[in-house]
Amino acid sequence: MKISLPHKFLVSLLALLVLVTTNSFAIEKHFCGDQLVDTSVFAELEKCPGCLGAEEAPSEPDCCKDVVDVLEGQDITTVKKMDDLEQDQQVFLIAFGHTFFSLFQPVSRRLDNLLHYDPPSITFDLQSNYQVYLI
């Protein structure tokens, strides 16, 4: 069975969707006073000079703060079987799936069966019999 390109794309998109929704992300922000200095998702935060113990320390010792926003993903993915759905939902799902995937079927335009076709023999002149003439 040959899998078409739209089918591969749809499967990859659904796999990526499951991967993104089940992962958790932490967004770290560093503030120096009321000003946002750096934002990071995967890398190390860049601190301001006052937080590193440099000579140009700010006048207030507690002016720097780090804020961590955690985006929680799903912990459990649920799998439903066809038997868990109601009867009308099952009928709709099967009908929708059949019509959707029939959109991607290639149209057969093979004329191989016409190569061995013999047209019927005409025993009389149709135009003169029906008195239909091209002008």
Side-chain angles (χ1 to χ4, degrees), residues 12-70:
S12 300
L13 184 68
L14 289 175
L16 184 66
L17 179 70
V18 169
L19 181 69
V20 168
T21 57
T22 56
N23 282 339
S24 298
F25 296 100
I27 300 172
E28 301 177 41
K29 298 175 187 174
H30 179 74
F31 289 95
C32 189
D34 290 334
Q35 185 177 9
L36 178 65
V37 176
D38 191 25
T39 302
S40 174
V41 176
F42 298 110
E44 183 78 22
L45 277 176
E46 188 177 310
K47 308 276 185 178
C48 61
C51 296
L52 297 175
E55 296 174 5
E56 299 176 9
S59 60
E60 301 176 18
D62 295 330
C63 74
C64 296
K65 65 179 176 179
D66 292 330
V67 177
V68 178
D69 295 331
V70 178

Side-chain angles (χ1 to χ4, degrees), residues 21-125:
T21 57
T22 56
N23 282 339
S24 298
F25 296 100
I27 300 172
E28 301 177 41
K29 298 175 187 174
H30 179 74
F31 289 95
C32 189
D34 290 334
Q35 185 177 9
L36 178 65
V37 176
D38 191 25
T39 302
S40 174
V41 176
F42 298 110
E44 183 78 22
L45 277 176
E46 188 177 310
K47 308 276 185 178
C48 61
C51 296
L52 297 175
E55 296 174 5
E56 299 176 9
S59 60
E60 301 176 18
D62 295 330
C63 74
C64 296
K65 65 179 176 179
D66 292 330
V67 177
V68 178
D69 295 331
V70 178
L71 300 174
E72 296 270 342
Q74 267 183 295
D75 290 339
I76 301 170
T77 56
T78 58
V79 179
K80 286 196 168 195
K81 295 181 182 177
M82 195 71 162
D83 297 334
D84 296 340
L85 300 174
E86 295 177 12
Q87 181 70 25
D88 58 342
Q89 292 174 335
Q90 290 178 1
V91 170
F92 174 76
L93 188 62
I94 291 172
F96 179 77
H98 178 69
T99 54
F100 181 76
F101 288 117
S102 67
L103 291 173
F104 299 109
Q105 297 296 325
V107 177
S108 177
R109 296 189 184 250
R110 295 180 49 192
L111 300 175
D112 295 343
N113 56 353
L114 297 179
L115 292 176
H116 304 293
Y117 175 72
D118 292 330
S121 60
I122 300 175
T123 57
F124 55 91
D125 190 10

